[in-house]
Amino acid sequence: MRAGRVFAYGAAAGLLGDLLLGDPRRGHPVAAFGRAAGAVEQLLWRDHRGWGALHTVVCAGGAAALGLAASRLVRRSPAASVALTGAATWAVVGGTSLAREAGAIGRALEAGDVEAARARLPHLCGRDPRALDADGIARAVVESVAENTSDAVVGALVWGAVAGVPGLLGFRAVNTLDAMVGHKSPRYRRYGWASARLDDLAGWPGARLTAVLTTVAGGDPRGAVRAWRADAAQHPSPNAGPVEASFAGALGVRLGGTLSYGGRVEHRPVLNGTAGRAVRAGAGDIDRAVRLSRRVGWLALGVCAGARLLARGAAGSAHRAARNNRGVRKGRTS
């Protein structure tokens, strides 16, 4: 079985497994990686970019190398290769957990239980829930759903299509490292610099594909494109900007503005401010964002699997043409 089909079948099985099973409550591979990365940090930490870069290479490179070794081990068995790709996809994507957490917060807000929503918000994002009212929590959830559609689903599929299981594991490792050390606290401002920059690079193609698919899958394609073009560049994150702006336009809401992370207040530009309304706790905005996220995830599977199949087919055709040309030249000289 060719590599394109292995990825297509395996990634589809992994996404279906995530839909049916979600993340395990205990023993999640990403959590195991996080513990390993934390142990490496304890050994390497210095307030220096070079040591942080070494931490990134050891952890992300180790995850990709593990994926490469596993792929080579099963490469002679198509069934085992598909199973490995499916297991890796299931391990690194998080669409179902994202939807579940967002839905739980949405239900709490609809029931008027703001305290319960505040208690669950840290499971989804790093915002300070004490600084948010019901509408602020709802906006934080919609923004997190948008950003994590790229980080937890589409970006992983893109790198899986590019590099198979090593790409899947490597991308998730980079994304996890950014969440662990890539923020601008005094401890990680220099040490986490390499992880943050690598995450920006690795997330770039997935974020753009997410924004494109959002314009296709959302309810207002023109609004999504308009918000993306007008507002994405104003966002401090080069990858969250296009994703959140396109989600805001597709859903007809305003995102961005003032937010708080661990007591640190940030004033971000408003996305889709001229055409959108404020996110409201009881307006179903969270549910609409979750449904849009799911549609984007399945479309991304189709695009990535199709691109991998086409690329492999084109490479095979080029190889056959080159072989035929060599045969023709050989016949002429004999």
Side-chain angles (χ1 to χ4, degrees):
M1 186 184 295
R2 293 181 177 179
R5 291 184 180 180
V6 167
F7 172 74
Y9 296 157
L15 273 192
L16 185 60
D18 177 64
L19 178 65
L20 297 176
L21 303 175
D23 292 333
R25 295 185 180 275
R26 295 181 181 179
H28 196 292
V30 175
F33 170 81
R35 290 191 294 270
V40 173
E41 179 188 339
Q42 293 299 317
L43 294 173
L44 296 182
W45 188 90
R46 306 287 190 282
D47 190 17
H48 190 275
R49 285 186 175 184
W51 286 95
L54 179 61
H55 177 226
T56 303
V57 170
V58 168
C59 295
L66 178 63
L68 180 60
S71 297
R72 288 183 173 178
L73 187 65
V74 301
R75 68 181 182 273
R76 296 186 182 278
S77 171
S81 296
V82 170
L84 176 64
T85 303
T89 302
W90 167 79
V92 304
V93 301
T96 294
S97 292
L98 174 65
R100 286 176 179 172
E101 289 298 332
I105 296 171
R107 288 189 295 273
L109 291 175
E110 289 175 0
D113 193 347
V114 178
E115 288 305 316
R118 287 195 179 109
R120 292 199 69 101
L121 187 62
H123 295 223
L124 188 65
C125 65
R127 304 284 178 86
D128 183 359
R130 297 169 298 177
L132 300 174
D133 60 10
D135 291 344
I137 293 172
R139 192 193 83 196
V141 171
V142 172
E143 291 171 353
S144 296
V145 168
E147 185 173 1
N148 282 292
T149 299
S150 176
D151 288 344
V153 182
V154 180
L157 293 173
V158 167
W159 282 104
V162 171
V165 172
L168 288 165
L169 299 189
F171 175 80
R172 176 52 61 218
V174 169
N175 193 248
T176 303
L177 287 174
D178 178 61
M180 294 177 67
V181 304
H183 38 88
K184 296 181 179 179
S185 66
R187 178 178 174 86
Y188 295 122
R189 186 176 299 275
R190 282 178 284 273
Y191 187 81
W193 178 85
S195 291
R197 297 290 77 76
L198 183 58
D199 182 68
D200 286 343
L201 290 172
W204 195 95
R208 273 71 193 169
L209 179 58
T210 302
V212 169
L213 296 179
T214 298
T215 67
V216 174
D220 185 358
R222 290 184 179 180
V225 172
R226 181 179 60 248
W228 179 7
R229 294 180 61 183
D231 301 329
Q234 302 178 54
H235 197 286
S237 168
N239 295 330
V243 173
E244 291 186 18
S246 60
F247 258 72
L251 297 172
V253 299
R254 295 194 301 269
L255 299 178
T258 302
L259 50 84
S260 176
Y261 286 99
R264 186 182 78 255
V265 177
E266 293 185 14
H267 300 284
R268 293 184 177 177
V270 176
L271 308 176
N272 199 38
T274 58
R277 59 167 175 80
V279 175
R280 295 193 295 270
D285 294 328
I286 292 176
D287 287 341
R288 292 194 301 125
V290 168
R291 290 195 297 270
L292 177 56
S293 174
R294 285 219 183 268
R295 292 195 297 272
V296 168
W298 286 104
L299 283 174
L301 172 64
V303 170
C304 292
R308 181 68 182 259
L309 288 167
L310 289 173
R312 296 298 298 186
S317 297
H319 177 73
R320 288 190 296 271
R323 186 174 58 190
N324 291 337
N325 287 335
R326 287 196 299 268
V328 170
R329 289 195 297 269
K330 183 178 180 181
R332 288 175 177 173
T333 58
S334 61

